Amino acid sequence: MVGLYISGHPLNEFKFEMDHLTNAGIHQLSEPEKLQGREVRIGGIVSDVQHRTSKKGNPFGQFTIEDFNDNYTFYLFSKDYLQFKPMLEKGWFLYLTGNVQNRWNSEELEFKIQNIEHLSEIREKMTKGLEIKMRLEDVNAIVVDEVERIAEKFPGKSLLKMSLVGVYENRAINLEMLSRKFTIEPTNELIKELEGIDELRYRVLLQKN
């Protein structure tokens, strides 16, 4: 009735994916010229779907994707519609990849969908590991023990990397270390625990295409 989610946005469950695995917000699709020249990755929840038929009797689809800030309506025709029709379900969380190109027989630009996946399936596919960043002056036994505790609590297949930066004996230090002891599963719970440690920051390492 009020157009708001009273108990929190449904996409909160996929905050990791939205923060680290997308590279554009839905609001940016209204200015496609700014997205030219790169692969565009967006995510969101399907808020509306319509399966329709043109005046010539050809089926096509219309669906609306919503993220935390905006929404956008896409139209799929011909083979694109047939390919992605099974993914068009209201309430589903989707991950769209594509690029900006000229609309058919027009100089107008549009975002052309190349692939649609379930948002729930891309974290394992795209995440190579996590890099934990710390300043040398913040390193102490308590923080190290806490990082080890978290790594042990969330074992998995993703890499764990440590990066230390600072100055030691008047020399700039930039030390990168890949853990041989721990591999992790970058779950929402793990991320939440890392974010609770003030002395460190983290970065998601992505798989190379």
Side-chain angles (χ1 to χ4, degrees):
M1 290 175 61
V2 298
L4 301 171
Y5 294 104
I6 304 300
S7 59
H9 199 288
L11 275 174
N12 287 339
E13 178 183 354
F14 298 99
K15 189 175 185 300
F16 177 96
E17 287 79 1
M18 298 298 292
D19 286 348
H20 302 290
L21 305 182
T22 66
N23 64 1
I26 285 177
H27 70 281
Q28 294 176 266
L29 298 179
S30 61
E31 297 181 297
E33 64 278 0
K34 296 182 179 180
L35 298 174
Q36 279 186 286
R38 62 185 175 94
E39 181 186 61
V40 179
R41 307 188 300 269
I42 62 174
I45 182 174
V46 179
S47 58
D48 184 66
V49 177
Q50 296 185 39
H51 300 281
R52 306 170 66 180
T53 303
S54 69
K55 294 180 180 179
K56 295 183 179 181
N58 298 317
F60 70 96
Q62 172 185 330
F63 70 105
T64 301
I65 288 281
E66 173 185 320
D67 63 10
F68 292 111
N69 302 305
D70 211 339
N71 63 77
Y72 191 89
T73 298
F74 298 89
Y75 295 85
L76 294 174
F77 302 93
S78 305
K79 64 178 182 180
D80 290 337
Y81 174 61
L82 296 178
Q83 178 182 357
F84 299 124
K85 181 180 178 181
M87 303 292 287
L88 306 185
E89 294 286 344
K90 188 174 180 179
W92 281 17
F93 300 94
L94 300 183
Y95 183 73
L96 282 61
T97 54
N99 53 56
V100 171
Q101 62 184 43
N102 289 101
R103 195 181 299 272
W104 183 79
N105 202 27
S106 171
E107 294 297 318
E108 185 179 355
L109 295 174
E110 68 171 353
F111 173 70
K112 172 69 173 178
I113 297 173
Q114 301 293 337
N115 194 30
I116 301 179
E117 301 173 80
H118 290 288
L119 196 56
S120 61
E121 297 176 352
I122 64 167
R123 186 184 310 198
E124 181 176 355
K125 174 183 175 182
M126 295 185 62
T127 302
K128 181 179 181 180
L130 292 180
E131 178 183 9
I132 294 177
K133 299 182 175 184
M134 294 184 62
R135 298 180 302 177
L136 281 175
E137 57 266 34
D138 290 332
V139 178
N140 58 65
I142 295 176
V143 174
V144 172
D145 288 346
E146 186 67 2
V147 171
E148 287 196 353
R149 181 193 65 79
I150 294 172
E152 289 178 342
K153 185 177 178 181
F154 300 97
K157 299 179 181 179
S158 297
L159 302 176
L160 179 63
K161 181 180 179 181
M162 294 288 297
S163 294
L164 305 178
V165 296
V167 177
Y168 179 73
E169 295 184 348
N170 297 320
R171 291 186 301 171
I173 301 294
N174 190 345
L175 182 62
E176 297 183 351
M177 301 171 290
L178 184 64
S179 176
R180 296 183 179 181
K181 181 178 180 181
F182 298 108
T183 52
I184 60 171
E185 179 67 27
T187 64
N188 291 343
E189 292 77 14
L190 179 147
I191 296 299
K192 184 177 180 180
E193 293 204 23
L194 287 181
E195 290 176 344
I197 303 176
D198 294 334
E199 292 86 354
L200 63 81
R201 298 291 181 267
Y202 71 90
R203 181 173 71 93
V204 176
L205 304 175
L206 300 180
Q207 298 281 5
K208 294 182 179 180
N209 294 330

